[in-house]
């Protein structure tokens, strides 16, 4: 089934969405992006796009930082995305990639005096990580907020994530865990991280150079409202990764992925922990539109 893109203010086949070789964003990373999941519900024959509005609110915030003049409101971006998914007609889990970028075909380091544009496309995409991930502490650290703000999903910053991911995979692991410049736990290459310690969730605070993940926030709310489990946001030292009762990663691509080991040290008994398992089940029901309490987070793509 062919895929489509919204590109230069119209819907076109994905194969026809092309930018010029001098496009500023291609050379300098002057773009911000989002990753959005569309989750297929076979019983309802529906794709539910998860927390669509929140993703575009974050995109708008990133555009402000990068001085990208985005000519669409959040509601307009949501409407474009729903129509895009309808045109694609997929009957499986999908991944939606919006990109706001400096579109001028012009060289030179700057953010000012450049045109901007927006595109979005959708593709089928299944699981991002294995059922249980093996992780390593990366030698690559997260940048400080005054170097390259980690809370902005700019394309330029993701070379840092790519360094960490490739190092981990080439060393035989599935994913990397990066530390802050001063050595505290920050996040995975594409995920936030949670520990279970004494029955509570513990996760790095926003000042630990993390992206404030939408899935992260979702998990914190579900843990509190559905399981009565509080989340503590604080600095986490490396040693706590090795001694935690449970550990899992969260992200739009990764959903909730249990961590079986870190640096060849088993987390718990190396199996999926009880709290992690409960959160996975609740989350899976929520994102597929099967929990009526959280339907406001789910945007149905197909008209019924």
């Amino acid at each position: 089934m062919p895929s489509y893109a919204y590109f230069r203010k119209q819907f076109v086949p994905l194969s026809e969405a092309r930018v010029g070789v001098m496009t500023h964003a291609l050379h300098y990373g002057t773009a911000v992006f989002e990753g959005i999941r569309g989750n297929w519900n076979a019983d309802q024959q529906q794709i539910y796009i998860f927390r669509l509005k929140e993703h575009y609110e974050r995109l708008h915030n990133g555009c402000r930082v990068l001085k990208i003049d985005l000519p669409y409101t959040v509601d307009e971006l949501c409407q474009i995305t729903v129509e895009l998914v309808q045109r694609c007609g997929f009957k499986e889990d999908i991944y939606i990639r919006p990109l706001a970028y400096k579109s001028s075909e012009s060289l030179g380091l700057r953010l000012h005096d450049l045109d901007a544009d927006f595109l979005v496309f959708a593709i089928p995409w299944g699981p991002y990580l294995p059922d249980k991930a093996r992780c390593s502490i990366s030698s690559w650290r997260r940048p400080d907020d005054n170097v390259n703000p980690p809370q902005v999903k700019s394309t330029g910053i993701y070379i840092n994530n790519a360094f960490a991911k490739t190092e981990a995979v080439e060393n035989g692991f599935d994913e990397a865990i990066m530390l802050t410049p001063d050595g505290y736990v920050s996040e995975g290459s594409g995920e936030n991280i949670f520990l279970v310690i004494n029955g509570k969730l513990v996760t790095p605070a926003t000042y630990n150079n993390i992206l404030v993940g939408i899935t992260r926030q979702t998990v914190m709310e579900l843990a509190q409202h559905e399981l009565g489990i509080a989340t503590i946001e604080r600095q986490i030292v490396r040693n706590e990764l090795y001694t935690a009762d449970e550990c899992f990663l969260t992200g739009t691509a990764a959903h909730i992925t249990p961590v079986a080991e870190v640096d060849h040290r088993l987390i718990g008994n190396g199996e999926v922990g009880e709290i992690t398992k409960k959160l996975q089940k609740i989350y899976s029901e929520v994102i597929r539109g099967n929990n009526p309490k959280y339907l406001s987070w789910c945007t149905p793509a197909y008209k019924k």
Side-chain angles (χ1 to χ4, degrees):
M1 183 177 292
S3 190
Y4 292 87
Y6 182 79
F7 180 66
R8 292 178 179 166
K9 298 181 173 57
Q10 61 181 332
F11 293 99
V12 300
L14 183 57
S15 59
E16 296 178 13
R18 295 286 184 266
V19 298
V21 295
M22 283 185 61
T23 302
H24 196 271
L26 179 65
H27 294 270
Y28 302 110
T30 48
V32 293
F33 72 96
E34 282 294 323
I36 306 171
R37 278 281 192 180
N39 302 286
W40 174 242
N41 185 317
D43 292 337
Q44 298 181 28
Q45 292 290 291
Q46 181 64 269
I47 282 182
Y48 286 103
I49 307 172
F50 191 61
R51 304 201 76 163
L52 181 59
K53 184 177 181 180
E54 289 90 337
H55 279 284
Y56 279 127
E57 287 172 343
R58 187 169 65 183
L59 184 80
H60 260 268
N61 288 336
C63 286
R64 292 190 186 98
V65 177
L66 265 69
K67 293 182 174 289
I68 292 173
D69 185 14
L70 190 60
Y72 301 98
T73 66
V74 168
D75 287 342
E76 287 170 340
L77 293 171
C78 291
Q79 292 167 6
I80 289 168
T81 303
V82 169
E83 183 175 348
L84 170 71
V85 175
Q86 289 173 352
R87 286 173 179 263
C88 291
F90 295 120
K91 294 186 175 182
E92 57 187 304
D93 290 349
I94 62 171
Y95 191 76
I96 302 162
R97 171 51 57 89
L99 183 79
Y101 63 104
K102 296 291 189 180
S103 58
S104 293
E105 296 193 9
S106 175
L107 299 183
L109 283 169
R110 65 190 187 280
L111 296 175
H112 59 282
D113 297 334
L114 293 167
D115 294 330
D117 207 346
F118 170 82
L119 62 84
V120 58
F121 61 87
I123 57 171
W125 208 14
Y128 179 66
L129 289 172
D131 291 341
K132 294 185 296 182
R134 300 175 61 250
C135 298
S136 62
I137 303 297
S138 180
S139 66
W140 298 93
R141 298 204 173 185
R142 292 295 284 156
D144 186 76
D145 186 72
N146 204 37
V147 174
N148 198 338
Q151 295 192 23
V152 176
K153 283 182 72 74
S154 64
T155 56
I157 197 175
Y158 272 76
I159 190 65
N160 174 243
N161 307 61
F163 281 143
K165 178 73 172 186
T166 291
E167 177 187 59
V169 171
E170 289 182 346
N171 286 332
F173 297 93
D174 303 308
E175 185 53 285
I177 297 171
M178 290 183 285
L179 306 180
T180 66
D182 51 356
Y184 292 100
V185 174
S186 181
E187 62 182 16
S189 74
E191 311 86 14
N192 294 118
I193 188 167
F194 285 82
L195 305 181
V196 177
I197 301 175
N198 296 328
K200 294 183 179 180
L201 297 185
V202 182
T203 194
T206 55
Y207 53 77
N208 288 134
N209 306 79
I210 67 168
L211 176 74
V212 182
I214 290 168
T215 309
R216 174 184 182 270
Q217 183 61 37
T218 299
V219 165
M220 291 164 64
E221 292 187 43
L222 292 177
Q224 180 66 59
H225 298 319
E226 300 300 316
L227 300 178
I229 296 175
T231 300
I232 301 168
E233 298 178 75
R234 63 166 172 82
Q235 290 178 325
I236 297 173
V237 296
R238 179 174 182 163
N239 177 66
E240 290 180 283
L241 290 173
Y242 305 145
T243 60
D245 302 316
E246 301 177 34
C247 178
F248 58 87
L249 303 171
T250 65
T252 293
H255 296 310
I256 298 175
T257 299
V259 175
E261 62 178 81
V262 177
D263 288 346
H264 302 291
R265 295 164 173 85
L266 289 183
I267 305 301
N269 62 5
E271 299 300 324
V272 183
E274 288 304 311
I275 291 177
T276 304
K277 193 179 300 181
K278 289 176 183 177
L279 285 170
Q280 281 185 304
K281 186 176 186 302
I282 295 167
Y283 181 78
S284 179
E285 291 293 306
V286 167
I287 65 173
R288 298 183 193 283
N290 287 326
N291 189 323
K293 290 181 0 185
Y294 300 97
L295 275 178
S296 62
W297 287 348
C298 299
T299 302
Y302 298 147
K303 297 176 182 178
K304 297 290 184 181

